[in-house]
Amino acid sequence: MSIMDAQQSQEPANAAGQGGESAQGRYVEPGKAFDRDMRYFATRITADGRDGYPVEAGRYRLIVLHACPWANRAIIVRRLLGLEDAISMGIAGPTHDARSWTFDLDPAGRDPVLGIERLQEAYFRRVPDYPRGITVPAIVDTRDGAVVTNDFQRMTLDLSTEWTAFHREGAPDLYPQAQRAEIDDLNRWLLHHVNNGVYKAGFAGSQEAYEEAYADLWKSLDILEDRLSRSRYLMGPSITEADVRLFPTLVRFDPVYAGHFKCARKPIAAMPNLGGYLRDLFQTPGFGDTVDLQHIKEHYYAVHRDINPTGIVPVGPDMTSLLEAHDRDRFETATWGAGTAPEPPLRAEVVDPAHTPLHVTGR
């Protein structure tokens, strides 16, 4: 495939409009509604290697940051499927310089596998002077250091369906064949009305655009509140890809989206079904133990200077309520389907204990 299968323009895009969390550009266009750019490197890593990138253990590196909800999905799926030994993971810091996400969490400020200071370098190895936002999650080929894909929607599905040879024993089926059409429909709806809905409100450039986005977001959250009054998870008794896509938005809602993106009506924690569902998933291995609440706040409040010009990062809120009891076990439950819970995270990937209410020990 060509190196820019999905590229249609050489003009720099609004950073916030990129598919994942981006490190460049403006976030709010005065007078306009927020419009997310959904163009990516469409190249896929597949079992048959039809795009030139075959599934191969140890060849690829997943680049994420804990702050990003889109990257959080990839972290969760990699962990649930037990792909840690097959796909290494690099973690960028929660903020960035003028050019790109930086590996300031690593010694000497360089990713220890790719040897780069900024994710931008991997994009430029694929397309010199890549003109669009530098987004995460991204999967990089360690052979040439170039980005293979930043298609955050396809990425997690391929981890489930193309990487089966390297799934751990007992890995759950997050994308069961019989439910795929319904999961796809639900995921499209979640993207436009909830996952991206908070951004439509937060990056609205007019009062009218903001109020329209706010109303649609809360109408959608009310629909989810009702849906979760009938089953433990979105698709029934077992966790699926749909839950992986909703959780990162919900866990960021009260500490960030409610205030920073002006999405507040009531806390998610106060909603009987959504709040219980959030607590349930947060306490489930592979979900809450991937969440770095401090990095989340640092990213949104420090980076989005057009809506938080001081860059002040709030101290609160107290998120220990995520550990409170829930009543989700009142429903029929087969959390992992025919599979089992994942192992604890790798020691090097354990979230800083000061950044989470969970106590997690790595392996």
Side-chain angles (χ1 to χ4, degrees):
M1 298 179 72
S2 68
I3 59 176
M4 280 298 286
D5 307 288
Q7 184 175 332
Q8 299 175 17
S9 170
Q10 293 297 315
E11 293 301 316
N14 179 330
Q18 295 297 301
E21 207 72 47
S22 174
Q24 296 174 302
R26 301 181 309 278
Y27 295 95
V28 177
E29 293 191 58
K32 295 185 179 180
F34 173 68
D35 183 20
R36 182 176 295 277
D37 184 351
M38 297 295 288
R39 292 170 290 178
Y40 329 93
F41 290 115
T43 320
R44 294 172 59 191
I45 301 168
T46 58
D48 62 8
R50 58 186 177 273
D51 285 2
Y53 292 94
V55 166
E56 186 177 331
R59 176 172 173 177
Y60 304 101
R61 188 158 175 82
L62 171 65
I63 302 300
V64 299
L65 57 137
H66 280 302
C68 170
W70 322 99
N72 198 174
R73 301 172 175 185
I75 298 171
I76 292 169
V77 170
R78 171 179 174 268
R79 175 77 181 294
L80 297 184
L81 299 179
L83 289 169
E84 294 98 326
D85 291 336
I87 307 171
S88 66
M89 185 168 77
I91 304 173
T95 58
H96 54 74
D97 64 15
R99 286 178 283 175
S100 175
W101 302 111
T102 57
F103 294 98
D104 50 300
L105 303 178
D106 292 305
R110 288 185 178 273
D111 179 85
V113 173
L114 300 175
I116 58 178
E117 293 181 339
R118 297 173 177 82
L119 181 56
Q120 181 189 59
E121 296 173 55
Y123 276 76
F124 284 179
R125 288 176 185 173
R126 178 75 184 268
V127 177
D129 298 320
Y130 181 74
R132 306 166 70 81
I134 307 301
T135 66
V136 289
I139 295 181
V140 179
D141 188 344
T142 62
R143 293 185 176 184
D144 60 8
V147 168
V148 176
T149 181
N150 61 343
D151 187 345
F152 73 101
Q153 296 203 91
R154 187 70 242 177
M155 190 182 297
T156 51
L157 298 180
D158 282 347
L159 292 180
S160 282
T161 59
E162 300 292 335
W163 285 80
T164 55
F166 298 101
H167 288 183
R168 64 177 176 87
E169 184 177 355
D173 185 355
L174 300 175
Y175 195 45
Q177 186 72 49
Q179 292 181 299
R180 287 185 185 179
E182 186 179 355
I183 290 173
D184 289 345
D185 286 344
L186 179 56
N187 285 346
R188 278 190 291 270
W189 181 85
L190 286 171
L191 171 66
H192 294 294
H193 299 283
V194 180
N195 305 137
N196 197 37
V198 293
Y199 286 84
K200 290 177 182 179
F203 294 146
S206 70
Q207 185 70 29
E208 180 181 11
Y210 161 71
E211 291 185 9
E212 181 177 346
Y214 176 93
D216 182 72
L217 171 65
W218 275 101
K219 178 181 177 181
S220 303
L221 289 173
D222 287 338
I223 290 171
L224 290 171
E225 173 72 7
D226 178 67
R227 183 181 184 119
L228 289 166
S229 71
R230 296 186 292 275
S231 63
R232 184 160 188 172
Y233 305 109
L234 287 172
M235 295 299 299
S238 304
I239 287 171
T240 67
E241 172 80 14
D243 301 293
V244 172
R245 297 198 181 196
L246 178 56
F247 171 79
T249 298
L250 292 184
V251 80
R252 287 160 175 75
F253 199 93
D254 290 350
V256 173
Y257 301 146
H260 184 59
F261 278 177
K262 307 177 186 69
C263 292
R265 187 186 76 182
K266 64 172 68 173
I268 295 297
M271 301 181 75
N273 295 308
L274 274 173
Y277 169 83
L278 174 58
R279 293 192 297 277
D280 184 9
L281 285 180
F282 189 83
Q283 296 167 34
T284 298
F287 284 83
D289 53 23
T290 69
V291 175
D292 188 316
L293 291 165
Q294 184 60 32
H295 278 197
I296 288 168
K297 291 192 296 182
E298 285 181 17
H299 165 65
Y300 284 94
Y301 285 98
V303 169
H304 300 157
R305 292 301 182 96
D306 42 358
I307 58 177
N308 185 42
T310 64
I312 293 173
V313 179
V315 174
D318 181 355
M319 297 297 289
T320 56
S321 64
L322 290 170
L323 300 183
E324 293 177 358
H326 60 80
D327 62 354
R328 302 300 294 171
D329 51 4
R330 72 185 190 270
F331 298 110
E332 178 189 358
T333 299
T335 297
W336 306 112
T340 59
E343 294 185 53
L346 298 176
R347 187 174 292 108
E349 296 176 5
V350 172
V351 172
D352 186 331
H355 297 177
T356 174
L358 285 170
H359 176 73
V360 178
T361 302
R363 55 184 164 94

